[in-house]
Amino acid sequence: MYSILKIQDILAAEPLQLPNKTAIIEHLLTDTRRVAFPETSLFFPLVGRFHDGHAFIATAYARGIRNFLVSKNIFSNNELLLTEFKDANFLKVDSILRGLQKLAAAHRRTFTDLEVVGITGSNGKTVVKEWLFQLLREDYNIVRSPKSYNSKTGVPLSVWQIKPDNNLALFEAGISTTNEMSVLAEIIEPTTGIFTMIGEAHNEGFAHVEEKIREKLKLFETCSTILFCADDARIARLIKKEFPKKNLLSWSKENKKANLQLFDYQRIGDKTFFRFSFKQALVSTESSSVVLLPFTDTASINNAATCILTLLTLKTDPSVIAQKIAKLEPIEMRLELKRGVNGSFVVNDAYNSDFTSLSLALDFIAQNDQLSRTLILSDILQSGQNPTTLYRKVADLLVEKGITKLIGIGTEITAIQPFLNNTIAAQFFESTQLFLNQAKNADFQNQIILLKGARPFTFERIAERLSEKNHKTVLEINLNALTHNLSVFKNILRGEMDVRETLEVSRTFASSSNFKLQTSNLPKIMAMVKASAYGNGSDEVARLLAYNHVDYLAVAYADEGIELRQAGIRLPIMVMNPEEASFDALQRYDLEPEIYSLRVLENFVKSLKIRPDTEWVAVSKIHLKLDTGMHRLGFESNDIQRVIQILKDNPNIQVAAVFTHLAASEAALHDGFTHLQVERFSKMYAQIEAGIGYKPMRHVLNSSGIVRFPEYRFDMVRLGIGLYGVDSSAEIQQQLQVVQTLKATISQIKHLPKTETIGYSRRGKLERDSIIATISIGYADGLLRGAGNGRFSVGIHGHRAPIVGGVCMDMTMIDITDITNVIEGDEVEIFGEHVPVQDLANALQTIPYEVFTGISDRVKRVYFQE
């Protein structure tokens, strides 16, 4: 535990504000979504190329955090923020990241007697670390890196975990370019160093492989003992050159001078038997020890050898080592073998795609001799090699390892084709998405399928497609698509997309003295997150929107805004339907009501006047809605003078914005009426502006209006359905990505003769022998009854299957007679990327809004970000 004053001293930080000098810090926090112990946490708002964590200080504060490290001058122009967070401690440093690293390094230095093992290399770091934990956890109190926390932020968070009762630490350190390892070494200060293997990953960050090895070796400056593989001459030579006076211990399958010798390999089933002998300071063990390793691939043997050498260094008895090695379990973080479609198995190694790791993964799948071997391989990125040279080597490797089919994905992988010599069947796709669009599960029968892709190719989607499915009904929300769609509209507002920007901006009344065309300063964006963000779940969506710097959020009712505030959302929030009973809550939760009538305005004023002085809010922001032709809610022109008078009599009420709702901005047929609405709005706005003496923001455009009427963007726009991937005007639909995908699974398949009937009231009449599948979704989930009796078809295996009979409460029947290779447990798309939500909306004679918001709460929402 560290006091806030001790941290101030360690970091030489400037105390911006320290109302609680007795605060104790136990936890370091960089993500407000992972708050567990707010009272004893210190928040580090990390700053990156595309984000600034300081934007989440309010979120952290709302979640109970009261200790913050900030960059210099972050509050210099806004003392109100310090007042708002008056009970919070703020320390100022030049660099948030460096502050995190320095604090962790200071923490490490307090444990002078701790045995710390630092692990680096290109391949095997995480497996070696996790296996060492498995092998030693009974003998030591171990602290280790969580998962693969080996980066400039992961390492300090790992080291901070050290506690006084730990007597062994296992920490990974990974780098991608020069001048990174020195910082990590300062934090870890290992006493024993392990160098696993070297590969081609991140070669572009170094001049050559020797420079990469030297940079990684910087981790070992404080080590007394260094362990490595003597079979890699480059590693062995450089370690001996850089550390001639340290205790250097090596293992080898070939070099008899190595300290640990491995020999007499024999594979029996899914296990490998081998012997080892160990010598240190030229003193050999009297006899060799036999090891049974429950793996047969080369990577596992190499990692096991490293672990054996480490245990021997820690003076573990060789016979005990053999017993422990036999109990090793696979590490799912890397190579994972899972059941796939049609009797196949899938190995998902979509973490990297360098040549060395490919070779090891091919050894892994070679354990299964009964199945043919298919490799799905992406472009090998960051190899630092000429593509021709690289892919010639890869082709030779695939032939040697017995690959029977290659599916290449990317723009460079086709360079391998001339070197396959017609010995391996090959297909190529430019992108993962094209593969997903064109490939069928039926193409994969009784195979072992290795997925080897660089991270940008998102092979996780392929793994999901080819893996065996469990029954489930889920609404997937693609946060990447949501961010993309937001960017599309931002680009339109910036004028970077040729959508409507080339059109004439003159309109029938553009010369009106009451109309001003805004051409400077980008308009703000108000994102609509009402109705649980159109069924997506408002909390997660709102956080993503805040992260991507929208300016306002809009909800329908106060309760929705309160939920966002309680979730830590600090963006301004407009409440579109403020009920009078919620006026007090609006003030307490800093929500801004839409005021649309004299009655509501007058009652809002009364609610402020009856508040106790101790709770008085100096300024209450409101949004005035004008009715210009929608005739739903809003002030009419004859209300304006009374509105002005009320506002003048109540200067504590500030009009944040004046807006209107366009009735048909998506329909060219009604463009004349849209222009008329904006003209009416402009005249009414001019009256309000003159009457109150200042200029509130103006906004009239919704999603389709943003695209179709650039001249009316004014000070702010309201982004709704377009954010979720639907363009009502259909002008930029191709630019938008699908955000929501509703999925079910096949529960049962029946083969039925013609003349049979399906479902309640025997509405589904078969006119041919049919194959009928029952899927795990019904009208209680949001697939409404109007979709039944053939009016809508779901998607399966790239085909559409019509609904037969009526939709039941929890189940629905579909006709899959014309679709081959469908089995129970297969996934069915109700709407999403392959079945447009518009199709379901049309079948229900409604609009996508209603479909999205009608998805039941019992349907699990899954958020994913590629």
Side-chain angles (χ1 to χ4, degrees):
M1 297 192 300
Y2 285 68
S3 70
I4 193 71
L5 293 179
K6 182 176 181 180
I7 291 174
Q8 176 191 342
D9 182 60
I10 291 172
L11 302 182
E14 177 185 349
L16 178 66
Q17 178 174 276
L18 287 177
N20 182 11
K21 295 183 180 180
T22 62
I24 297 298
I25 303 301
E26 296 183 33
H27 308 281
L28 309 185
L29 181 69
T30 62
D31 189 336
T32 57
R33 295 169 298 183
R34 298 177 180 177
V35 177
F37 305 99
E39 298 85 0
T40 56
S41 293
L42 176 63
F43 181 53
F44 292 77
L46 296 172
V47 179
R49 181 179 178 186
F50 299 111
H51 74 282
D52 186 344
H54 292 91
F56 294 93
I57 287 177
T59 300
Y61 182 89
R63 296 190 172 187
I65 303 297
R66 292 297 181 267
N67 301 286
F68 299 87
L69 197 72
V70 297
S71 297
K72 283 189 175 182
N73 303 319
I74 195 68
F75 294 124
S76 61
N77 297 321
N78 195 340
E79 295 300 327
L80 288 176
L81 288 178
L82 292 179
T83 301
E84 182 180 354
F85 306 132
K86 61 184 178 181
D87 61 336
N89 292 322
F90 286 93
L91 297 176
K92 294 171 67 176
V93 293
D94 292 327
S95 167
I96 300 296
L97 176 60
R98 189 61 188 136
L100 174 65
Q101 295 168 340
K102 287 176 63 178
L103 182 57
H107 180 62
R108 162 67 184 95
R109 288 194 295 271
T110 63
F111 298 93
T112 55
D113 297 328
L114 179 65
E115 176 69 28
V116 178
V117 178
I119 307 169
T120 192
S122 297
N123 309 104
K125 296 188 296 294
T126 300
V127 173
V128 166
K129 178 202 68 187
E130 292 298 322
W131 277 2
L132 285 175
F133 174 75
Q134 290 183 28
L135 295 166
L136 295 169
R137 61 189 173 190
E138 295 178 357
D139 306 311
Y140 292 86
N141 188 328
I142 302 174
V143 58
R144 72 191 196 281
S145 305
K147 299 182 180 179
S148 56
Y149 275 39
N150 58 32
S151 66
K152 57 188 177 183
T153 56
V155 165
L157 293 174
S158 299
V159 169
W160 183 258
Q161 297 179 110
I162 302 175
K163 298 294 187 295
D165 56 351
N166 295 133
N167 54 12
L168 180 63
L170 306 172
F171 296 131
E172 297 180 50
I175 59 174
S176 58
T177 188
T178 57
N179 303 318
E180 290 183 345
M181 186 60 85
S182 295
V183 174
L184 303 186
E186 178 189 47
I187 301 169
I188 297 174
E189 284 194 5
T191 54
T192 296
I194 294 176
F195 201 113
T196 56
M197 308 296 288
I198 197 70
E200 288 78 22
H202 303 295
N203 273 0
E204 77 289 349
F206 306 92
H208 42 71
V209 69
E210 288 197 358
E211 181 182 60
K212 182 163 67 171
I213 295 172
R214 285 196 183 96
E215 287 293 318
K216 290 179 181 291
L217 291 179
K218 290 180 180 179
L219 177 63
F220 301 148
E221 293 291 341
T222 58
C223 293
S224 58
T225 300
I226 300 174
L227 315 180
F228 61 97
C229 175
D231 293 340
D232 191 317
R234 301 166 300 179
I235 296 174
R237 178 174 56 81
L238 288 174
I239 287 178
K240 292 174 182 178
K241 179 179 179 181
E242 297 291 329
F243 305 110
K245 297 182 179 180
K246 294 185 184 293
N247 182 29
L248 306 181
L249 301 177
S250 61
W251 66 268
S252 174
K253 303 172 187 176
E254 306 166 359
N255 188 340
K256 293 183 179 181
K257 293 183 179 181
N259 302 91
L260 175 67
Q261 294 282 314
L262 276 64
F263 52 91
D264 290 347
Y265 291 95
Q266 185 177 7
R267 174 185 167 185
I268 301 178
D270 58 355
K271 298 177 177 61
T272 302
F273 288 85
F274 61 87
R275 296 179 182 273
F276 73 83
S277 62
F278 179 68
K279 60 184 178 182
Q280 189 173 12
L282 302 179
V283 178
S284 303
T285 56
E286 293 184 0
S287 60
S288 61
S289 298
V290 178
V291 170
L292 184 155
L293 178 69
F295 305 95
T296 60
D297 59 287
T298 303
S300 293
I301 294 172
N302 292 345
N303 294 330
T306 301
C307 291
I308 291 170
L309 182 58
T310 305
L311 266 63
L312 288 167
T313 303
L314 295 172
K315 304 186 185 310
T316 306
D317 184 90
S319 62
V320 174
I321 291 175
Q323 295 173 18
K324 288 177 176 288
I325 292 291
K327 298 177 182 179
L328 281 176
E329 300 173 356
I331 306 301
E332 294 184 356
M333 295 176 65
R334 299 298 179 184
L335 293 172
E336 299 177 342
L337 184 68
K338 295 183 177 181
R339 289 190 177 276
V341 298
N342 306 323
S344 295
F345 290 87
V346 177
V347 177
N348 182 13
D349 190 29
Y351 291 94
N352 49 60
S353 62
D354 64 88
F355 184 86
T356 300
S357 67
L358 173 61
S359 177
L360 298 176
L362 291 172
D363 280 339
F364 182 79
I365 69 169
Q367 297 177 58
N368 196 316
D369 295 328
Q370 288 73 40
L371 300 177
S372 61
R373 302 170 190 170
T374 295
L375 170 64
I376 303 180
L377 179 66
S378 77
D379 289 347
I380 298 178
L381 305 179
Q382 303 176 343
S383 70
Q385 297 185 45
N386 175 277
T388 301
T389 303
L390 171 65
Y391 288 109
R392 180 184 286 112
K393 288 173 57 180
V394 172
D396 292 343
L397 179 66
L398 302 190
V399 172
E400 178 185 342
K401 299 297 184 179
I403 294 296
T404 56
K405 183 178 181 179
L406 169 68
I407 297 175
I409 296 179
T411 57
E412 297 180 1
I413 188 69
T414 53
I416 198 174
Q417 197 163 15
F419 310 115
L420 296 177
N421 299 322
N422 298 319
T423 58
I424 299 175
Q427 289 179 281
F428 298 94
F429 301 84
E430 289 187 355
S431 69
T432 300
Q433 193 57 60
L434 282 177
F435 168 81
L436 292 171
N437 290 344
Q438 298 177 30
K440 301 177 181 178
N441 284 11
D443 297 334
F444 300 91
Q445 302 275 346
N446 300 313
Q447 302 171 28
I448 187 163
I449 308 161
L450 171 63
L451 307 183
K452 203 75 181 68
R455 287 185 184 273
F457 288 89
T458 63
F459 272 19
E460 295 86 355
R461 293 186 291 166
I462 300 178
E464 177 67 19
R465 166 77 71 82
L466 297 181
S467 297
E468 188 177 62
K469 302 296 186 296
N470 296 315
H471 285 47
K472 62 180 180 179
T473 301
V474 64
L475 180 67
E476 294 182 346
I477 293 96
N478 185 338
L479 298 180
N480 294 93
L482 195 67
T483 302
H484 168 84
N485 295 341
L486 177 61
S487 297
V488 168
F489 284 93
K490 282 184 175 181
N491 289 337
I492 292 174
L493 294 173
R494 295 187 190 107
E496 295 175 0
M497 293 181 65
D498 184 18
V499 180
R500 294 281 295 186
E501 300 297 323
T502 59
L503 299 181
E504 295 280 345
V505 297
S506 60
R507 298 295 188 187
T508 57
F509 63 97
S511 60
S512 167
S513 60
N514 292 326
F515 175 77
K516 295 180 180 179
L517 178 65
Q518 179 177 317
T519 56
S520 63
N521 298 326
L522 295 178
K524 296 179 183 296
I525 293 178
M526 174 183 282
M528 312 302 288
V529 292
K530 61 181 180 177
S532 192
Y534 292 55
N536 289 283
S538 55
D539 290 7
E540 289 291 338
V541 171
R543 289 191 191 99
L544 183 69
L545 295 173
Y547 182 82
N548 285 282
H549 308 300
V550 302
D551 303 283
Y552 256 90
L553 300 176
V555 297
Y557 296 98
D559 287 349
E560 293 177 323
I562 291 170
E563 289 179 4
L564 291 178
R565 287 287 184 247
Q566 292 174 337
I569 304 301
R570 302 303 302 168
L571 282 176
I573 299 175
M574 182 180 78
V575 178
M576 304 181 71
N577 298 290
E579 297 164 322
E580 294 176 18
S582 69
F583 284 165
D584 182 69
L586 293 176
Q587 297 299 312
R588 286 188 287 109
Y589 288 95
D590 190 26
L591 304 173
E592 302 173 16
E594 168 190 312
I595 304 296
Y596 53 81
S597 73
L598 290 172
R599 177 185 59 83
V600 175
L601 179 57
E602 290 167 351
N603 288 334
F604 183 72
V605 170
K606 291 178 183 178
S607 75
L608 298 181
K609 290 184 176 180
I610 65 173
R611 294 175 64 86
D613 291 343
T614 55
E615 296 184 14
W616 182 260
V617 178
V619 175
S620 296
K621 291 184 179 181
I622 65 172
H623 297 248
L624 296 179
K625 185 169 187 178
L626 309 181
D627 185 1
T628 59
M630 180 74 173
H631 300 319
R632 184 172 60 185
L633 295 175
F635 292 103
E636 298 180 350
S637 58
N638 55 9
D639 297 324
I640 299 303
Q641 288 305 318
R642 177 60 181 153
V643 171
I644 292 172
Q645 189 59 52
I646 293 174
L647 293 173
K648 291 173 70 174
D649 292 342
N650 295 275
N652 59 306
I653 297 177
Q654 181 183 43
V655 182
V658 180
F659 71 104
T660 193
H661 195 104
L662 301 179
S665 63
E666 75 283 357
L669 176 65
H670 300 295
D671 280 357
F673 186 72
T674 297
H675 304 323
L676 178 61
Q677 280 193 266
V678 180
E679 183 176 18
R680 290 171 177 171
F681 171 80
S682 297
K683 290 178 180 179
M684 295 167 72
Y685 176 87
Q687 285 182 271
I688 295 171
E689 177 190 342
I692 63 177
Y694 58 92
K695 295 182 177 181
M697 290 186 292
R698 302 165 295 165
H699 54 98
V700 303
L701 297 183
N702 55 9
S703 296
S704 56
I706 293 171
V707 179
R708 301 192 67 247
F709 298 97
E711 67 273 36
Y712 301 151
R713 290 171 186 164
F714 299 135
D715 305 300
M716 187 157 63
V717 296
R718 301 187 302 274
L719 183 54
I721 195 70
L723 184 64
Y724 305 102
V726 177
D727 175 24
S728 299
S729 65
E731 297 204 18
I732 61 162
Q733 186 62 61
Q734 296 303 314
Q735 299 285 345
L736 302 178
Q737 293 182 358
V738 172
V739 173
Q740 294 158 295
T741 300
L742 180 60
K743 294 179 178 179
T745 55
I746 294 178
S747 301
Q748 190 174 23
I749 294 175
K750 294 179 180 293
H751 294 256
L752 299 173
K754 62 181 178 180
T755 73
E756 286 292 322
T757 59
I758 308 298
Y760 288 117
S761 301
R762 305 187 66 194
R763 289 194 181 94
K765 294 181 173 57
L766 300 184
E767 298 180 353
R768 61 173 179 172
D769 293 346
S770 303
I771 304 174
I772 303 299
T774 300
I775 60 176
S776 60
I777 189 170
Y779 59 77
D781 301 296
L783 181 61
L784 300 183
R785 295 177 73 245
N789 299 302
R791 286 187 289 270
F792 178 66
S793 299
V794 302
I796 181 169
H797 292 188
H799 300 276
R800 301 292 287 270
I803 293 174
V804 182
V807 176
C808 306
M809 181 181 288
D810 309 300
M811 295 285 176
T812 301
M813 285 68 76
I814 60 175
D815 187 344
I816 59 171
T817 308
D818 298 323
I819 306 175
T820 59
N821 299 305
V822 180
I823 61 173
E824 293 176 358
D826 274 356
E827 192 173 79
V828 177
E829 183 177 301
I830 310 304
F831 62 77
E833 188 172 351
H834 304 100
V835 181
V837 67
Q838 291 89 338
D839 288 2
L840 179 54
N842 291 338
L844 297 172
Q845 296 184 327
T846 185
I847 55 178
Y849 297 74
E850 185 175 5
V851 175
F852 286 154
T853 58
I855 304 302
S856 169
D857 289 340
R858 79 177 188 179
V859 175
K860 182 181 179 181
R861 271 69 172 170
V862 176
Y863 303 88
F864 67 96
Q865 190 163 346
E866 297 168 358

